[in-house]
Every structure is written in structure tokens, then in C-alpha cells.
Amino acid sequence: MTQQTLYSTGASTLEVNKLLKNTYMLLSMTLAFSAVCAGMAMALQIGPMVSIGMSLGSLAILFVTLRKAESAAGLFWVFAFTGMQGASLGYILNHYAGMANGPELIMQALGLTSVIFVTLSGYAITTKKDFSFMRGFLIAGLVIMFVGLLVNMFLGNSMVFMALNAGIALLMTGFILYDTSRIINGGETNYIRATISLYLDFLNLFIALLHLMGIGGDD
């Protein structure tokens, strides 16, 4: 019985390690691909409507990706999704790049995002803590932020916009812990779905930090 338990534990550890390896490898590739697509969109100088259209289109692709996650076709769709997401950032990135310190601002936001992501993911992996208790709070917070952003589209209040992005940044730090914990503790066993979750955490954290860091320089 003891040997069987040890064998099961060892096999489980190997499976988790394999899942982590595949997830972070695919995550690195999709982030790099997104960066390339974002650069192309910046060069093409896409407008706000095209950016919105790409964002909406990526939601449809996301639905297909999740449906295909268990098949080999899922790899194609995850790159289609992340590529479209990256391209949709072209307009926002051009906006901030046009500021006096724009390129530095973008790199600072990207660097800070990377540090936060690696630190929190590393903490969750090292401690193996179960952050599933955060699920309800995170989902509720996400709904509140989404509604707030919709309302502020009509209000156009910069202070509200800053507060909402601060809230989104805080939520994404929680999601990084939560999503990494799900991989470690068996809540997620598919590396494509795991990659999508962590990709969205990283992307939304980056966008929120970029808005927060750039709003003061938008003169």
C-alpha cells in the first residue's frame, strides 16, 4: 500500500512537471508571437475600430481554441488567438509610443509585468499552496471591473479609468496565483487551456500597468 502510494505520488509529480514544462514553453512562444503581431499592427498603424474588431474576433477564436484544446488542432488555434490578441494591441501601443517617453514607458510596463508574473508564479509553484479559495472573489471582481469599464466608456472620467486599471492589475496578480495553483494542484490538466489562462493574466496585467504608467504622460 505504501509503495503504491509512493508510486502514485511520483507519477503525479511527473505529470505536473510535464504540464508545467509544456505550459510555460507554449506560453513563451505565444507571448513572442503576440509581440511580433503587435509590432506588425503598429507598423500598419491600425485604427481603434480595427483594434476593437480584432479584440471581438479573438473572443470567437478563444471559444474555438477551448473546444479544440484536447486535440492537436488546439495548437493552431491558440496561436491564432494569441496572434489576434497581440495585433489588437497595435493601436494602444502606438498611442503610448507617440509620447515623449513612449518606448521607455512600454518597456517599463512590460518589464514590471514580467517581474510580477515570474515572482507570483514562482511563489505558487514553490509553495504549492492552493489558491482555489480566491475563485469567487476574483470572478466577482472581474465582473465589477468589466461593468465599470463599460460605464466609464460613457463617463470618460480619467480618475475612474485609473482606479479601474489599478483594480484590474490587482485582480490579475490574484489570477496568476490562482491559475498557477490550479496547474500545481490538479485543477487544470491541459497545457493549452493552462497557457491561455496564464497568457490572459499576463496580457491584462501588462495593459493595466501600461495605462497606469502612461496616463500621467498623456498630455
Side-chain angles (χ1 to χ4, degrees):
M1 185 66 176
T2 303
Q3 289 181 338
Q4 184 178 0
T5 302
L6 289 173
Y7 176 79
S8 299
T9 302
S12 177
T13 301
L14 288 175
E15 290 174 0
V16 169
N17 289 339
K18 181 180 179 181
L19 178 60
L20 283 171
K21 178 182 177 181
N22 290 339
T23 297
Y24 284 100
M25 184 179 298
L26 183 58
L27 178 62
S28 299
M29 294 170 66
T30 52
L31 286 172
F33 184 61
S34 285
V36 171
C37 292
M40 292 174 62
M42 291 177 71
L44 293 172
Q45 297 185 335
I46 65 170
M49 296 309 296
V50 174
S51 178
I52 293 173
M54 286 182 171
S55 295
L56 294 175
S58 68
L59 293 178
I61 297 176
L62 175 60
F63 176 77
V64 177
T65 305
L66 293 174
R67 291 286 299 272
K68 299 289 186 179
E70 298 290 347
S71 67
L75 283 173
F76 167 80
W77 287 106
V78 75
F79 278 100
F81 167 68
T82 55
M84 185 73 80
Q85 281 282 300
S88 70
L89 294 180
Y91 175 74
I92 296 174
L93 293 176
N94 271 335
H95 168 74
Y96 287 111
M99 296 180 179
N101 63 334
E104 293 82 1
L105 185 71
I106 294 172
M107 293 309 298
Q108 287 171 6
L110 181 60
L112 182 57
T113 301
S114 300
V115 170
I116 293 173
F117 184 88
V118 171
T119 300
L120 293 178
S121 284
Y123 176 77
I125 292 172
T126 303
T127 63
K128 294 181 172 58
K129 286 187 177 180
D130 185 359
F131 290 96
S132 60
F133 67 90
M134 299 174 64
R135 184 175 184 273
F137 166 77
L138 293 172
I139 293 177
L142 202 59
V143 172
I144 293 172
M145 293 300 108
F146 179 73
V147 172
L149 287 172
L150 286 179
V151 172
N152 199 50
M153 286 178 63
F154 299 97
L155 297 178
N157 189 300
S158 60
M159 293 303 295
V160 172
F161 183 70
M162 180 179 288
L164 287 170
N165 277 284
I168 291 172
L170 182 61
L171 277 175
M172 289 307 112
T173 60
F175 268 111
I176 292 169
L177 290 171
Y178 172 74
D179 288 327
T180 306
S181 171
R182 291 188 71 234
I183 299 173
I184 297 298
N185 295 293
E188 181 56 79
T189 58
N190 180 274
Y191 76 102
I192 291 179
R193 287 195 297 265
T195 296
I196 291 173
S197 296
L198 292 176
Y199 172 87
L200 289 173
D201 297 342
F202 186 98
L203 184 69
N204 287 309
L205 177 59
F206 167 67
I207 295 172
L209 291 176
L210 182 60
H211 285 319
L212 287 171
M213 296 170 69
I215 196 168
D218 190 10
D219 298 324

mmCIF file of all heavy atoms in Angstrom, residues 115-134:
data_model
loop_
_atom_site.group_PDB
_atom_site.id
_atom_site.type_symbol
_atom_site.label_atom_id
_atom_site.label_comp_id
_atom_site.label_asym_id
_atom_site.label_seq_id
_atom_site.Cartn_x
_atom_site.Cartn_y
_atom_site.Cartn_z
ATOM 1 N N VAL A 115 8.302 40.772 -14.187
ATOM 2 C CA VAL A 115 8.805 40.548 -12.826
ATOM 3 C C VAL A 115 7.684 40.060 -11.914
ATOM 4 O O VAL A 115 7.852 39.093 -11.151
ATOM 5 C CB VAL A 115 9.432 41.842 -12.258
ATOM 6 C CG1 VAL A 115 9.724 41.686 -10.764
ATOM 7 C CG2 VAL A 115 10.711 42.180 -13.002
ATOM 8 N N ILE A 116 6.531 40.716 -11.988
ATOM 9 C CA ILE A 116 5.393 40.323 -11.152
ATOM 10 C C ILE A 116 4.945 38.907 -11.498
ATOM 11 O O ILE A 116 4.702 38.076 -10.608
ATOM 12 C CB ILE A 116 4.220 41.311 -11.336
ATOM 13 C CG1 ILE A 116 4.590 42.682 -10.771
ATOM 14 C CG2 ILE A 116 2.957 40.778 -10.650
ATOM 15 C CD1 ILE A 116 3.563 43.762 -11.058
ATOM 16 N N PHE A 117 4.856 38.626 -12.794
ATOM 17 C CA PHE A 117 4.385 37.313 -13.236
ATOM 18 C C PHE A 117 5.327 36.202 -12.774
ATOM 19 O O PHE A 117 4.886 35.193 -12.209
ATOM 20 C CB PHE A 117 4.260 37.290 -14.761
ATOM 21 C CG PHE A 117 3.695 36.011 -15.306
ATOM 22 C CD1 PHE A 117 2.327 35.851 -15.442
ATOM 23 C CD2 PHE A 117 4.525 34.959 -15.669
ATOM 24 C CE1 PHE A 117 1.793 34.665 -15.934
ATOM 25 C CE2 PHE A 117 4.014 33.771 -16.159
ATOM 26 C CZ PHE A 117 2.637 33.625 -16.292
ATOM 27 N N VAL A 118 6.613 36.376 -13.013
ATOM 28 C CA VAL A 118 7.590 35.350 -12.635
ATOM 29 C C VAL A 118 7.620 35.162 -11.119
ATOM 30 O O VAL A 118 7.680 34.030 -10.619
ATOM 31 C CB VAL A 118 8.992 35.724 -13.162
ATOM 32 C CG1 VAL A 118 10.053 34.790 -12.580
ATOM 33 C CG2 VAL A 118 9.020 35.662 -14.685
ATOM 34 N N THR A 119 7.553 36.261 -10.382
ATOM 35 C CA THR A 119 7.599 36.188 -8.920
ATOM 36 C C THR A 119 6.397 35.434 -8.357
ATOM 37 O O THR A 119 6.548 34.525 -7.526
ATOM 38 C CB THR A 119 7.643 37.600 -8.307
ATOM 39 O OG1 THR A 119 8.807 38.291 -8.781
ATOM 40 C CG2 THR A 119 7.686 37.528 -6.786
ATOM 41 N N LEU A 120 5.205 35.796 -8.817
ATOM 42 C CA LEU A 120 3.994 35.164 -8.291
ATOM 43 C C LEU A 120 3.862 33.713 -8.746
ATOM 44 O O LEU A 120 3.475 32.840 -7.962
ATOM 45 C CB LEU A 120 2.761 35.965 -8.711
ATOM 46 C CG LEU A 120 2.645 37.365 -8.105
ATOM 47 C CD1 LEU A 120 1.409 38.081 -8.629
ATOM 48 C CD2 LEU A 120 2.600 37.288 -6.582
ATOM 49 N N SER A 121 4.186 33.451 -10.005
ATOM 50 C CA SER A 121 4.141 32.070 -10.492
ATOM 51 C C SER A 121 5.154 31.210 -9.741
ATOM 52 O O SER A 121 4.861 30.082 -9.340
ATOM 53 C CB SER A 121 4.433 32.014 -11.995
ATOM 54 O OG SER A 121 3.319 32.427 -12.742
ATOM 55 N N GLY A 122 6.348 31.773 -9.561
ATOM 56 C CA GLY A 122 7.384 31.048 -8.827
ATOM 57 C C GLY A 122 6.970 30.754 -7.398
ATOM 58 O O GLY A 122 7.232 29.668 -6.872
ATOM 59 N N TYR A 123 6.299 31.720 -6.778
ATOM 60 C CA TYR A 123 5.827 31.526 -5.403
ATOM 61 C C TYR A 123 4.801 30.401 -5.333
ATOM 62 O O TYR A 123 4.874 29.531 -4.455
ATOM 63 C CB TYR A 123 5.216 32.826 -4.883
ATOM 64 C CG TYR A 123 4.609 32.704 -3.503
ATOM 65 C CD1 TYR A 123 5.421 32.681 -2.373
ATOM 66 C CD2 TYR A 123 3.232 32.602 -3.343
ATOM 67 C CE1 TYR A 123 4.870 32.557 -1.103
ATOM 68 C CE2 TYR A 123 2.670 32.480 -2.079
ATOM 69 C CZ TYR A 123 3.492 32.458 -0.961
ATOM 70 O OH TYR A 123 2.938 32.328 0.294
ATOM 71 N N ALA A 124 3.848 30.418 -6.275
ATOM 72 C CA ALA A 124 2.808 29.386 -6.284
ATOM 73 C C ALA A 124 3.398 28.003 -6.545
ATOM 74 O O ALA A 124 2.987 27.010 -5.936
ATOM 75 C CB ALA A 124 1.752 29.717 -7.338
ATOM 76 N N ILE A 125 4.373 27.939 -7.450
ATOM 77 C CA ILE A 125 4.997 26.655 -7.778
ATOM 78 C C ILE A 125 5.834 26.142 -6.608
ATOM 79 O O ILE A 125 5.805 24.953 -6.271
ATOM 80 C CB ILE A 125 5.875 26.790 -9.043
ATOM 81 C CG1 ILE A 125 4.995 27.042 -10.266
ATOM 82 C CG2 ILE A 125 6.722 25.537 -9.253
ATOM 83 C CD1 ILE A 125 5.771 27.390 -11.523
ATOM 84 N N THR A 126 6.579 27.039 -5.988
ATOM 85 C CA THR A 126 7.471 26.641 -4.894
ATOM 86 C C THR A 126 6.705 26.207 -3.649
ATOM 87 O O THR A 126 7.017 25.181 -3.034
ATOM 88 C CB THR A 126 8.423 27.801 -4.528
ATOM 89 O OG1 THR A 126 9.168 28.190 -5.686
ATOM 90 C CG2 THR A 126 9.382 27.381 -3.423
ATOM 91 N N THR A 127 5.704 26.998 -3.280
ATOM 92 C CA THR A 127 4.961 26.702 -2.047
ATOM 93 C C THR A 127 3.888 25.640 -2.245
ATOM 94 O O THR A 127 3.473 24.995 -1.288
ATOM 95 C CB THR A 127 4.295 27.978 -1.505
ATOM 96 O OG1 THR A 127 3.333 28.456 -2.463
ATOM 97 C CG2 THR A 127 5.333 29.054 -1.239
ATOM 98 N N LYS A 128 3.425 25.496 -3.511
ATOM 99 C CA LYS A 128 2.344 24.553 -3.832
ATOM 100 C C LYS A 128 1.061 24.847 -3.045
ATOM 101 O O LYS A 128 0.253 23.952 -2.785
ATOM 102 C CB LYS A 128 2.790 23.106 -3.590
ATOM 103 C CG LYS A 128 3.902 22.646 -4.519
ATOM 104 C CD LYS A 128 4.282 21.201 -4.252
ATOM 105 C CE LYS A 128 5.249 20.675 -5.306
ATOM 106 N NZ LYS A 128 6.490 21.454 -5.396
ATOM 107 N N LYS A 129 0.879 26.099 -2.674
ATOM 108 C CA LYS A 129 -0.331 26.479 -1.952
ATOM 109 C C LYS A 129 -1.547 26.409 -2.862
ATOM 110 O O LYS A 129 -1.452 26.636 -4.063
ATOM 111 C CB LYS A 129 -0.190 27.900 -1.387
ATOM 112 C CG LYS A 129 0.738 28.007 -0.193
ATOM 113 C CD LYS A 129 0.691 29.405 0.408
ATOM 114 C CE LYS A 129 1.560 29.492 1.654
ATOM 115 N NZ LYS A 129 1.516 30.852 2.258
ATOM 116 N N ASP A 130 -2.672 26.100 -2.269
ATOM 117 C CA ASP A 130 -3.929 26.021 -3.009
ATOM 118 C C ASP A 130 -4.651 27.364 -2.892
ATOM 119 O O ASP A 130 -5.095 27.748 -1.809
ATOM 120 C CB ASP A 130 -4.795 24.898 -2.439
ATOM 121 C CG ASP A 130 -6.069 24.690 -3.245
ATOM 122 O OD1 ASP A 130 -6.280 25.424 -4.231
ATOM 123 O OD2 ASP A 130 -6.855 23.799 -2.888
ATOM 124 N N PHE A 131 -4.743 28.074 -4.007
ATOM 125 C CA PHE A 131 -5.391 29.385 -4.013
ATOM 126 C C PHE A 131 -6.810 29.317 -4.581
ATOM 127 O O PHE A 131 -7.350 30.338 -5.014
ATOM 128 C CB PHE A 131 -4.559 30.382 -4.824
ATOM 129 C CG PHE A 131 -3.267 30.775 -4.167
ATOM 130 C CD1 PHE A 131 -2.078 30.138 -4.497
ATOM 131 C CD2 PHE A 131 -3.239 31.774 -3.209
ATOM 132 C CE1 PHE A 131 -0.881 30.493 -3.893
ATOM 133 C CE2 PHE A 131 -2.047 32.140 -2.590
ATOM 134 C CZ PHE A 131 -0.864 31.498 -2.932
ATOM 135 N N SER A 132 -7.403 28.132 -4.558
ATOM 136 C CA SER A 132 -8.752 27.980 -5.106
ATOM 137 C C SER A 132 -9.786 28.792 -4.325
ATOM 138 O O SER A 132 -10.845 29.124 -4.858
ATOM 139 C CB SER A 132 -9.158 26.503 -5.118
ATOM 140 O OG SER A 132 -9.140 25.959 -3.814
ATOM 141 N N PHE A 133 -9.469 29.127 -3.073
ATOM 142 C CA PHE A 133 -10.395 29.914 -2.257
ATOM 143 C C PHE A 133 -10.608 31.317 -2.828
ATOM 144 O O PHE A 133 -11.576 32.006 -2.481
ATOM 145 C CB PHE A 133 -9.873 30.018 -0.819
ATOM 146 C CG PHE A 133 -8.607 30.818 -0.678
ATOM 147 C CD1 PHE A 133 -8.651 32.186 -0.441
ATOM 148 C CD2 PHE A 133 -7.367 30.201 -0.792
ATOM 149 C CE1 PHE A 133 -7.484 32.928 -0.312
ATOM 150 C CE2 PHE A 133 -6.196 30.931 -0.669
ATOM 151 C CZ PHE A 133 -6.249 32.294 -0.434
ATOM 152 N N MET A 134 -9.717 31.747 -3.726
ATOM 153 C CA MET A 134 -9.808 33.090 -4.291
ATOM 154 C C MET A 134 -10.774 33.169 -5.469
ATOM 155 O O MET A 134 -11.081 34.264 -5.948
ATOM 156 C CB MET A 134 -8.419 33.551 -4.759
ATOM 157 C CG MET A 134 -7.381 33.632 -3.662
ATOM 158 S SD MET A 134 -5.723 34.022 -4.312
ATOM 159 C CE MET A 134 -5.979 35.657 -4.969
#
